Amino acid sequence: MFNSDISIDLGTATAQVYIKNKGVVLSEPTVIAVNTDTNEVCAVGDAALEMLGRTPPFIQAVRPLHDGVISSFTLASEMIKAFLSKILAKTIGHPRIMMCVPGGVTDVEQRAVIEAAREVGARDIYIIEEPVAAALGAGFDISRSHGTLVVDIGGGTTDIAVISLGGVVVSRSLKIAGDEFSEAIEKYMKREKNLLIGPRTADNVKKKIGTVVKREDNPSCEVKGICSITGLPGRMEIYANDLCHIFDDYVYNITERIKEVLEETPPDLHSDIIEDGIIMTGGGALINGLDRRISEVIGVKCTLAEDIVNCVVKGAGIALEEIDSVTDITHLYHKKAYIRD
């Protein structure tokens, strides 16, 4: 990998940039704040997240990605430029970029990602599916004839794939992931507790006490918002076990898609999956008890990958490192999407 070669995981919730020998050099929220009067970018990443839900009318803080794909090309391009300028200021020339995309991404959605990368002056652009990158980042040799089942739960999508000989054998992608878990908490607080809270508060509650199984310790946290009855500020204590049932539909949908993938997987690969278990990656997989629920339903052990949050972007970096040395087509986990003239 050349000094300017980078891999990017442009997630719905977080953007990550990885450089060889330096690791993850950037990990910031995919939020951008724009002055609607002048069309100027006010802030991106951490700074823009602080503005989310707190701006005057002429400033909008938004997420230009939805369900794992770019919903606003212009804002996504500006955001990518801003992120890369933080790390490429001292780099000469055009970088090669490996971009991660959700499994099952459409051609239109993929082109939007490619165009955004072109806007920052990339020399060559490569595309890799997130579950493939996740398996590489988790330390698996996916080039061999061996079945590996990966469940990558990000912010906007959950990607489920069986990988063998460097390619995806069977896969499913569903738009249920970490954001939906947070949204479920928002709806619960409004419906059951008459307390209106924002996305950031819901996300914090999820991270602190979110669980899909009953917990013996039953931790709690204080939640602040607006009382929907009085319209005045309110606060209350919420316990983990109050929340576990509100995620049941999401867990059901994830496990059903895993079943579908396994039903379509060739029988010879099932023994590998039974031996290795299900590999879970992505920040959404960290919600308490999710690995246990999946394991109980599927009947196969679930293992949380090491450095679970960074698996995808690290795996994309590994794939980019191997480009120049690849001679065997079975090792081509990626595809070249754009070559600069």
Side-chain angles (χ1 to χ4, degrees):
M1 181 185 282
F2 298 116
N3 290 334
S4 61
D5 287 353
I6 62 176
S7 59
I8 302 175
D9 179 17
L10 194 64
T12 301
T14 306
Q16 293 182 303
V17 178
Y18 174 92
I19 297 179
K20 182 184 179 182
N21 298 326
K22 295 183 179 179
V24 179
V25 297
L26 182 142
S27 180
E28 294 196 26
T30 46
V31 181
I32 183 169
V34 181
N35 186 317
T36 56
D37 290 340
T38 63
N39 290 324
E40 294 180 351
V41 176
C42 302
V44 296
D46 290 325
L49 182 64
E50 292 298 320
M51 300 180 180
L52 200 63
R54 301 179 178 182
T55 62
F58 62 90
I59 295 180
Q60 290 187 347
V62 297
R63 295 183 181 274
L65 289 96
H66 182 68
D67 291 335
V69 295
I70 295 176
S71 56
S72 172
F73 169 72
T74 301
L75 294 181
S77 296
E78 291 298 322
M79 186 173 64
I80 293 174
K81 289 177 187 177
F83 286 148
L84 293 183
S85 67
K86 295 182 179 183
I87 62 173
L88 297 178
K90 299 180 181 180
T91 300
I92 299 175
H94 301 284
R96 294 191 302 183
I97 295 180
M98 181 72 78
M99 300 286 295
C100 301
V101 297
V105 67
T106 66
D107 290 340
V108 172
E109 293 165 343
Q110 183 169 296
R111 280 198 296 271
V113 173
I114 295 167
E115 289 299 321
R118 287 182 63 182
E119 285 290 315
V120 302
R123 178 161 60 92
D124 296 339
I125 301 169
Y126 299 86
I127 296 295
I128 186 169
E129 292 187 48
E130 289 178 359
V132 177
L136 284 169
F140 285 84
D141 178 6
I142 63 173
S143 65
R144 58 195 180 121
S145 178
H146 185 93
T148 302
L149 175 55
V150 177
V151 177
D152 179 53
I153 306 177
T157 59
T158 292
D159 288 299
I160 305 158
V162 174
I163 302 164
S164 179
L165 288 172
V168 174
V169 180
V170 186
S171 68
R172 289 288 188 279
S173 183
L174 63 157
K175 301 186 186 305
I176 293 176
D179 288 350
E180 280 65 37
F181 283 86
S182 298
E183 187 177 334
I185 294 175
E186 279 190 75
K187 292 178 179 178
Y188 168 80
M189 294 301 299
K190 179 180 179 180
R191 181 182 66 251
E192 303 294 336
K193 304 298 182 181
N194 297 317
L195 191 69
L196 305 179
I197 62 174
R200 291 184 63 193
T201 299
D203 190 58
N204 288 333
V205 173
K206 178 188 69 178
K207 291 176 179 177
K208 288 180 179 178
I209 63 170
T211 182
V212 298
V213 296
K214 291 282 187 180
R215 296 182 57 171
E216 291 185 6
D217 55 347
N218 197 21
S220 66
C221 71
E222 184 181 61
V223 183
K224 301 174 184 177
I226 301 173
C227 177
S228 60
I229 298 175
T230 66
L232 299 175
R235 62 174 68 188
M236 64 181 62
E237 196 82 3
I238 297 296
Y239 290 86
N241 290 344
D242 295 333
L243 301 176
C244 64
H245 69 282
I246 69 175
F247 306 123
D248 285 347
D249 286 345
Y250 301 130
V251 176
Y252 173 79
N253 276 287
I254 291 172
T255 54
E256 286 300 299
R257 300 297 84 75
I258 295 174
K259 287 180 182 179
E260 290 177 5
V261 167
L262 288 172
E263 288 171 358
E264 296 180 22
T265 299
D268 287 343
L269 295 179
H270 274 253
S271 61
D272 302 329
I273 294 169
I274 292 171
E275 179 183 345
D276 295 344
I278 299 171
I279 312 305
M280 298 187 65
T281 65
L286 289 172
I287 190 165
N288 182 72
L290 183 56
D291 55 337
R292 196 194 319 170
R293 287 279 299 272
I294 292 175
S295 179
E296 289 173 352
V297 173
I298 304 301
V300 177
K301 67 179 179 180
C302 286
T303 302
L304 299 181
E306 293 185 13
D307 199 10
I308 190 170
V309 175
N310 299 322
C311 274
V312 171
V313 73
K314 285 174 62 178
I318 292 170
L320 189 53
E321 290 174 32
E322 296 179 354
I323 285 176
D324 297 317
S325 61
V326 165
T327 56
D328 184 351
I329 190 64
T330 62
H331 288 71
L332 291 176
Y333 319 122
H334 59 276
K335 58 182 176 178
K336 184 173 285 189
Y338 167 74
I339 306 175
R340 191 178 182 86
D341 297 330

